[in-house]
Amino acid sequence: MAVVGIIPFFTFALGTWQMKRLKWKIDLIDELDEKLQLPPLKFPSKINLSVIPEFVFRKVLLKGRWDHAHTMIFSPRVREGVHGVHVITPLVRENGSTILVDRGFVSKENLELLAQNQPEGEVEVLGMIRTSQPRNRFTPDNEPEKGIWYWTDVDAMAQYAGGDEADVQPVYVEQIFEGHAGEAATLLDKGAPIGRAPTVDLRNSHLSYVITWYSLSALTAVMFGRVLMRRKRSPGKKMPRFG
Ligand SMILES: *[C@@H]1O[C@H](CO)[C@@H](O)[C@H](O)[C@H]1NC(C)=O
Ligand SMILES: *[C@@H]1O[C@H](CO)[C@@H](O)[C@H](O)[C@H]1NC(C)=O
């Protein structure tokens, strides 16, 4: 009986804990969103890797030439219900180290057109700074030697693009696309990569946990109350069994 009586309090405590986590997550997203609103940075010619974590989600303006020979294709990726891939190409910066740029989405259908979308010469790229993405337990291993990539492993990607000897730094930028839907459709038809929207896309599932734990708490409290009432009304009867 005592154990059953504890459940409503226990689940309530879990709900309150998730509430704290929710507030923490909202604050974090706000903070990153503010970073994203700041004017774009310019990287120095050699980037100090130890300060990169501070600058995640900052916009950055890059100038350089694409190294198409080391393009990496990440699949499967989905954009607005369309199946396709992401195209990551090293950018050889003018007077600076080479870094990795996720140029964005190309549909599976138009992937063979990608070869026609390999701009030569100098390009200017607006992007946002990111880091390796945590893989989940279902993500397969990357197979660089076969050109098969599933998840963003910045160190391995920099190595693939030539590593230290080729002055490639493990820095990862996602190209930003701020055009309207019509422009996106044109790019999609041409098989040209579409960058990402400049938004903070962190998962925030704490609200659903808050609701779940508080609902469970209320439900078990009502059940426990009923059991107590029934016991009061018929003190001679045996307690109902749980489970
Ligand atoms: C990189 O940044 C860290 C932290 O600001 C600093 O301690 C370190 O000296 C820097 N390294 C170089 C090579 O500038
Ligand atoms: C790169 O170096 C060249 C020659 O030294 C210079 O003219 C040019 O302005 C530099 N570019 C940048 C982005 O610093």
Side-chain angles (χ1 to χ4, degrees):
M1 196 67 182
V3 171
V4 176
I6 283 170
I7 292 174
F9 295 103
F10 184 61
T11 47
F12 188 84
L14 284 173
T16 306
W17 174 62
Q18 282 298 331
M19 197 77 159
K20 272 198 194 135
R21 300 279 301 164
L22 175 64
K23 185 173 175 316
W24 168 81
K25 199 59 170 275
I26 289 174
D27 288 347
L28 176 67
I29 290 173
D30 280 351
E31 185 192 315
L32 295 176
D33 209 39
E34 263 169 40
K35 272 191 180 175
L36 194 52
Q37 304 311 324
L38 295 173
L41 299 166
K42 270 203 178 140
F43 279 137
S45 55
K46 196 81 182 170
I47 302 164
N48 185 341
L49 297 176
S50 63
V51 298
I52 284 289
E54 273 174 55
F55 289 97
V56 172
F57 281 101
R58 282 292 301 269
K59 281 183 186 158
V60 62
L61 200 58
L62 306 166
K63 240 186 206 180
R65 288 176 299 101
W66 296 118
D67 171 14
H68 294 295
H70 288 105
T71 286
M72 289 158 260
I73 301 290
F74 279 66
S75 62
R77 297 289 187 269
V78 178
R79 182 183 182 275
E80 294 178 357
V82 180
H83 291 265
V85 305
H86 266 228
V87 179
I88 288 92
T89 307
L91 185 74
V92 183
R93 292 187 301 137
E94 187 184 358
N95 309 344
S97 60
T98 297
I99 63 166
L100 305 157
V101 179
D102 179 349
R103 294 161 63 203
F105 178 86
V106 173
S107 73
K108 218 170 203 162
E109 230 168 58
N110 294 333
L111 190 53
E112 66 267 30
L113 298 179
L114 182 65
Q116 297 160 27
N117 287 293
Q118 302 198 329
E120 300 296 335
E122 193 174 82
V123 291
E124 204 172 69
V125 174
L126 176 67
M128 55 200 262
I129 303 171
R130 302 300 303 270
T131 51
S132 291
Q133 302 292 298
R135 62 197 288 205
N136 68 30
R137 109 188 97 107
F138 304 109
T139 314
D141 288 331
N142 290 327
E143 295 178 81
E145 61 291 345
K146 290 188 193 160
I148 302 174
W149 298 82
Y150 298 100
W151 62 286
T152 319
D153 178 353
V154 179
D155 287 326
M157 290 159 68
Q159 210 53 48
Y160 175 82
D164 261 348
E165 307 89 81
D167 199 19
V168 181
Q169 288 197 281
V171 174
Y172 185 66
V173 168
E174 288 177 342
Q175 188 164 2
I176 289 175
F177 172 76
E178 290 180 291
H180 51 72
E183 289 169 79
T186 309
L187 290 176
L188 201 62
D189 285 344
K190 283 201 298 192
I194 307 172
R196 55 160 302 151
T199 52
V200 177
D201 54 356
L202 292 190
R203 268 186 66 204
N204 187 359
S205 30
H206 295 293
L207 183 61
S208 65
Y209 296 145
V210 168
I211 294 170
T212 306
W213 287 124
Y214 279 160
S215 309
L216 258 167
S217 173
L219 194 75
T220 49
V222 168
M223 276 164 57
F224 185 59
R226 284 216 184 129
V227 170
L228 282 183
M229 299 261 274
R230 211 177 299 163
R231 204 159 97 141
K232 247 188 205 162
R233 255 184 265 140
S234 50
K237 262 196 192 159
K238 263 196 168 170
M239 276 291 300
R241 276 168 195 260
F242 287 91

